[in-house]
Amino acid sequence: MTIRSLAIAVIISLAPVALSAQQMEPVPDRPAGEGEGPYPRLLITGATVIEGSGAPPAGPVDVLVENNRIAALYPGGAPETVRNAAVRTIDAGGMYVLPGFVDTHGHNGDPSKANQPSYGYKLWLAHGVTTVRGVSFYFGPDQPDLTDTARSAANTITAPRLVPYAVFGDKWSRGTPDTPAKAREWVRWAKAQGYWGIKFFNSATPEVLAAALEEAETQQLGTVAHLAQTGVAEVNADTAVGLGLDGVTHFYGHFESLLKDALPYYPEDYNYFDEQSRFGWVARLAPQAVEPGSEKWDAYVDALVESGVTLSPTFNIYSASRDVMAARTRDWHERYSLPSLLDFYAPSAVNHGSYYKDWSTEDEVAWRNFYGKWFQLTKDFHRKGGRVTAGSDPGYIYQTWGFAYIGELEMLREAGLAPLEVIRAATLDGAREIYEPRGVEPPMGRVAVGQLADLVIVPENPLANLKVLYGTGHTRLNYETGAIEQVGGVRWTVKDGIVYDAPKLLESVAAMVEAQKAAR
């Protein structure tokens, strides 16, 4: 094995994955009664519509769905003939209808955390997520990411719409694609298998990366990168975007593009393989970068915007670094996080992302300061016209599926996106990031005639308070009765015209958690 091949293997092993000889359980067929429809005519009445493009809310509106498409919108209410012809009517009076959410950064393939993939799939759906881009859903060969994709498209399993990406060099048996010719061959192979795009971990030389990106564009495959520290000295975000990368996920590569010096400083005892060292020192990159508003900062932001790159920051996945105690004690863990998942989250020398082995006040302060600069970079990019999308990277660092996605929406708001901009990032812009490499407008992402019937129906106004989207709801004092109440939570998720009862999906997940507790 060459040094470069070894580096690729190491980076993939240290990426947000946990490879295991143990296989995931197959996803069971969707049982009778779990999701109803699609209907010849489904009518959702009396809702306020948050359309997804950034347009202001409007209502009351009746939404007519025929099979799996939005057939008509009736401001003020549908005619009586339409109401009488509906096979099913959902009374959404006082509620809000949004496009189905798009999670642009999903994983779902580690049996040591959650052996049944439907656990994550149901949590996503219960939080209104109707499309997930897997980067990857499963790592390694002979995994069911493509078959799960096909089964979800046929609605024979309870799952969001799945969009499969493969990690560069993964899944085939022809050796490491460590030359431009091999890189192009691997990209063509991935396209032929049915993958929609490629996830890079900065494990290729600039020449190999350039060839892979060029071939991906030819094949109409999307590209996104986690620009790991081990390769960022050669390929930072500025370099990768210049080579044609479509999307940058996480923060990797940004601050290395903005350094005051040529290379980042690491202490003499730094060890990338020790994850507390790795992640502790990530936050120390921020003061090594130039300040917001400086000439270099503004030039970098302008270059990103002009390139057309998409940023999917996944703020939520590292948020525990700001306050690990708060992350460990979130409301939903007791009822909805599997014991095996909580075990994985706990400090560990071997589990990826379980790096809080001796996490200090100084570490948390460094991360809070890091987030300030990262938020500012994202806000400046967005304000200048750059596209930002919502990805949650669940299953690591106290970020449980579904709940993590709503956490990401809250953090996009914290970064400076207005509530309508957050919803656009979660819907239309996420859909466009996925479909743009294919050269077409997405079939979902808006509440509009002709779009796929991917919808979220919520009793409370998420523009006023994103917390009402959490499956556990939002705690509120009732001033009239003096009672403390839980309000909100998604009521129904509609995917492909199929109506899912979100609270029932959560109950199904809670039963999985209780069964595992009882087995222990």
Side-chain angles (χ1 to χ4, degrees):
M1 178 179 281
T2 66
I3 295 296
R4 173 62 60 175
S5 300
L6 178 60
I8 291 172
V10 168
I11 289 170
I12 289 177
S13 71
L14 290 173
V17 301
L19 304 179
S20 170
Q22 182 186 1
Q23 291 293 307
M24 298 287 287
E25 296 174 2
V27 181
D29 289 339
R30 180 164 64 96
E34 191 165 83
E36 299 176 339
Y39 299 93
R41 288 172 301 281
L42 165 69
L43 190 64
I44 302 165
T45 62
T48 296
V49 171
I50 303 172
E51 184 253 12
S53 70
V61 175
D62 288 0
V63 181
L64 177 64
V65 174
E66 293 181 351
N67 297 312
N68 70 334
R69 295 274 177 178
I70 298 172
L73 300 173
Y74 297 100
E80 187 174 350
T81 54
V82 174
R83 289 174 174 261
N84 291 340
V87 175
R88 178 176 177 181
T89 299
I90 293 176
D91 181 0
M95 298 189 184
Y96 294 79
V97 171
L98 299 83
F101 298 139
V102 179
D103 191 334
T104 58
H105 195 125
H107 303 289
N108 202 20
D110 184 352
S112 68
K113 293 184 289 189
N115 201 41
Q116 175 48 252
S118 64
Y119 170 77
Y121 291 155
K122 288 182 178 183
L123 281 172
W124 264 315
L125 279 175
H127 286 87
V129 176
T130 55
T131 300
V132 180
R133 180 177 68 173
V135 289
S136 291
F137 286 117
Y138 303 88
F139 291 80
D142 304 319
Q143 295 286 357
D145 36 0
L146 295 175
T147 54
D148 278 8
T149 296
R151 293 174 72 197
S152 174
N155 292 309
T156 57
I157 59 174
T158 302
R161 179 173 291 100
L162 304 177
V163 179
Y165 275 41
V167 168
F168 181 63
D170 189 24
K171 299 194 178 291
W172 77 340
S173 59
R174 303 179 198 171
T176 302
D178 53 5
T179 67
K182 283 186 177 180
R184 291 179 184 276
E185 182 187 358
W186 184 90
V187 171
R188 291 191 293 269
W189 175 87
K191 171 75 172 185
Q193 302 310 299
Y195 292 99
W196 282 46
I198 306 165
K199 167 79 170 291
F200 294 91
F201 279 109
N202 213 15
S203 53
T205 64
E207 294 77 18
V208 169
L209 178 61
L213 291 171
E214 184 177 66
E215 188 64 35
E217 184 173 0
T218 299
Q219 299 296 330
Q220 294 187 308
L221 294 177
T223 57
V224 66
H226 165 150
L227 297 166
Q229 290 101 321
T230 49
V232 81
E234 281 191 292
V235 181
N236 58 27
D238 190 37
T239 305
V241 170
L243 292 173
L245 181 69
D246 292 338
V248 177
T249 190
H250 309 313
F251 51 78
Y252 300 103
H254 288 310
F255 291 113
E256 291 90 346
S257 302
L258 292 166
L259 291 171
K260 299 170 187 175
D261 297 321
L263 291 173
Y265 166 75
Y266 294 106
E268 290 73 13
D269 60 350
Y270 176 87
N271 183 355
Y272 181 80
F273 290 0
D274 176 352
E275 289 208 339
Q276 176 150 327
S277 179
R278 168 185 167 183
F279 286 104
W281 270 91
V282 158
R284 274 73 174 185
L285 280 175
Q288 298 181 53
V290 299
E291 293 304 312
S294 66
E295 183 178 352
K296 185 172 183 178
W297 179 282
D298 289 343
Y300 177 63
V301 172
D302 289 341
L304 290 177
V305 173
E306 290 167 10
S307 75
V309 72
T310 297
L311 301 188
S312 178
T314 66
F315 292 127
N316 68 289
I317 193 58
Y318 304 104
S319 60
S321 299
R322 304 192 296 179
D323 187 345
V324 68
M325 186 186 300
R328 191 170 57 241
T329 57
R330 294 295 187 201
D331 289 355
W332 46 84
H333 288 320
E334 175 62 27
R335 192 144 196 260
Y336 300 112
S337 293
L338 288 164
S340 55
L341 186 58
L342 293 173
D343 288 347
F344 187 93
Y345 291 153
S348 167
V350 295
N351 292 340
H352 171 70
S354 303
Y355 52 83
Y356 304 115
K357 296 185 282 291
D358 187 16
W359 205 247
S360 68
T361 301
E362 293 304 303
D363 291 315
E364 292 189 351
V365 169
W367 267 95
R368 289 172 201 152
N369 292 334
F370 177 88
Y371 265 98
K373 224 166 190 177
W374 187 14
F375 285 154
Q376 189 64 50
L377 179 68
T378 307
K379 180 180 178 179
D380 289 353
F381 171 78
H382 181 67
R383 287 287 169 263
K384 290 187 174 186
R387 180 168 60 202
V388 176
T389 60
S392 67
D393 196 7
Y396 304 91
I397 323 179
Y398 298 105
Q399 296 294 310
T400 299
W401 285 261
F403 296 99
Y405 186 80
I406 307 308
E408 177 66 5
L409 302 191
E410 286 202 280
M411 295 192 77
L412 288 170
R413 179 72 186 97
E414 185 180 355
L417 276 68
L420 276 173
E421 293 171 331
V422 171
I423 298 303
R424 177 172 171 139
T427 56
L428 182 58
D429 281 347
R432 282 180 170 164
E433 181 182 9
I434 290 170
Y435 278 86
E436 193 171 78
R438 302 170 80 87
V440 297
E441 271 289 298
M444 74 289 186
R446 298 177 65 178
V447 182
V449 173
Q451 291 269 285
L452 287 172
D454 286 9
L455 302 167
V456 187
I457 305 174
V458 191
E460 298 279 327
N461 183 1
L463 297 178
N465 182 7
L466 291 164
K467 292 183 186 299
V468 301
L469 296 170
Y470 284 114
T472 44
H474 170 62
T475 305
R476 179 185 294 165
L477 176 67
N478 186 320
Y479 282 91
E480 294 182 1
T481 66
I484 297 174
E485 300 172 342
Q486 288 299 111
V487 299
V490 172
R491 181 61 190 89
W492 290 283
T493 298
V494 184
K495 178 245 177 176
D496 239 2
I498 295 174
V499 180
Y500 289 95
D501 186 312
K504 285 186 178 178
L505 290 177
L506 287 172
E507 287 303 313
S508 174
V509 169
M512 293 183 192
V513 172
E514 287 305 311
Q516 193 180 96
K517 288 179 179 179
R520 289 186 167 199

